[in-house]
Amino acid sequence: MDTQIQQLIKKELERQENDLEMIPSENFVSLDVLKALGSVLTNKYSEGYPGARYYGGNEIIDQVEQLAIDRAKQLFDAEHVNVQPLSGAPANIAVYFALLEPGDTILGMDLGHGGHLTHGHPVTHMSKIFNFIRYKTNAEGDIDFDNLRQMAIEHKPKLILAGFSAYSRHLDYKKFKAIADEVGAYTMADIAHIAGLIAGKQLENPVPIFDVVTTTTHKTLRGPRGAMIMCKQALAKKIDKAVFPGLQGGPHENNIAAKAIAFAEALQPEFQDYCKQILLNAKALEKKFKEKNYSICFGTTDNHLLLIDLTNKNITGKQAQSALDLAGITINKNAIPDDPRGPMDPSGIRLGTPALTTRGMKQPEMEYIVDLIDEALTNHENNDKLAEIRAKVHKLTAKFPLYPSLKQE
Ligand code: DSN
């Protein structure tokens, strides 16, 4: 193998092993998922769908993709699933093109209030094609449904989008649905962050309620990097045509096989225990951060993540991320609602528990980690201190081996 890349993979494995991975959208896949990603399935072209392909030699591939579809349907109680989207952004874009005409209006959550770039941020191409109107949270950190309803009546959206990448509260899907029905809009949920928690039966499942639900497969769901779209049978043809040939070419079947494996793993009862622990760990972080006078955006967490406003700690999100990187704790700088600072150096940080929970860490470790984070942020300009904390981090992670068999290879 290319020794330069081999060395870099080895170093990245060491980084993942040694450091504390707290970016809430990241996780550690199983060895079976890793093997499928590196399998011969990567060699095959398979434009089309099971039973209707444009290339020969797809008898086995059809079975792989059908397994992924059937398992996803079972996991989320879905009428129809498309497992081909390469990632979250193309999945969302495919839905917009499947259901809407250029110029149509979409109501989506504001990025600064926890929404996602692909939900209509002005920097995206989609914002030039569709008319996105963005709704926000109120002072209590809840979605302001009265305001959302007024906006829906005023702007007459064709699609109302529920979903987030930095929001820590439960979403009331039935309220979204009632407003959408009142104005004749489609309902779309982007459950990328919480798909695992839904599959693990810890959070409400919007799939039976909404018209369309998109998700990535690599966050709490703990599968390979990729996405899928779930929808009502009546929309199946439109969604499938929008993904292929509308937006994508050949699907990545190695990745689809890895999705199928992850779905089978998530169907096991142990996955529900894993998800319960993700939530307990997030609550443990919240309690300890609050004891140390950290300001938790949206008031609390109902899921796996915390958005923390660092304004009262006199440190910016960028400074915090850099200091924690030196301390071996990986989080990301993040805008807080109506952030007065810019996106490259915002006022907050975002962190979460899915990856650490995969390693087997529980509440006592979470409490200790908040101590380490607090120590690092308090001493963010002291590199010696940050190196000391990094040593403590490595002592902790050594007790929770990640991929021992890969290390020996
Ligand atoms: N990058 C993902 C996240 O971190 O939430 C969303 O696209």
Side-chain angles (χ1 to χ4, degrees), residues 1 8 17 31 46 56 81 104 150 166 175 183 196 201 217 225 263 269 273 340 353 356 359 371 376 381 387 398 408:
M1 187 181 168
L8 290 172
E17 287 261 352
L31 287 175
S46 54
V81 181
D104 279 351
Q150 285 311 320
K175 282 191 180 164
V183 299
K201 305 208 184 310
T217 45
R225 194 156 288 281
F263 300 155
D273 298 335
T353 56
L356 297 188
R359 293 190 79 149
D371 284 334
E381 286 170 328
Q408 286 149 21

Side-chain angles (χ1 to χ4, degrees), residues 8 72 92-93 108 115 200 212 240 242 251 320 388:
L8 290 172
N92 288 346
I93 292 168
V212 186
D240 285 352
E388 263 176 45

Side-chain angles (χ1 to χ4, degrees), residues 351-394:
L351 47 83
T353 56
L356 297 188
T357 309
T358 294
R359 293 190 79 149
M361 294 188 192
K362 296 207 164 88
Q363 292 93 320
E365 286 78 33
M366 297 303 121
E367 290 177 18
Y368 178 54
I369 288 166
V370 175
D371 284 334
L372 296 178
I373 291 175
D374 184 51
E375 207 181 346
L377 297 187
T378 311
N379 297 282
H380 68 98
E381 286 170 328
N382 182 341
N383 283 1
D384 291 340
K385 190 76 188 167
L386 295 174
E388 263 176 45
I389 298 167
R390 189 183 191 96
K392 289 183 197 171
V393 163
H394 290 182

Side-chain angles (χ1 to χ4, degrees), residues 211-261:
D211 295 309
V212 186
V213 175
T214 61
T215 184
T216 50
T217 45
H218 49 272
K219 299 186 174 95
T220 47
L221 194 48
R222 209 163 58 178
R225 194 156 288 281
M228 66 176 165
I229 303 172
M230 297 169 269
C231 67
K232 298 289 180 229
Q233 192 58 44
L235 300 174
K237 275 196 180 140
K238 283 185 179 188
I239 293 291
D240 285 352
K241 275 174 73 177
V243 174
F244 174 84
L247 186 66
Q248 295 185 177
H252 297 183
E253 296 291 347
N254 57 326
N255 199 285
I256 288 174
K259 288 175 189 172
I261 293 169

Side-chain angles (χ1 to χ4, degrees), residues 23 25 116 165 193 219 350:
I23 291 176
S25 49
H116 189 253
S165 64
H193 264 260
K219 299 186 174 95
R350 186 187 67 152

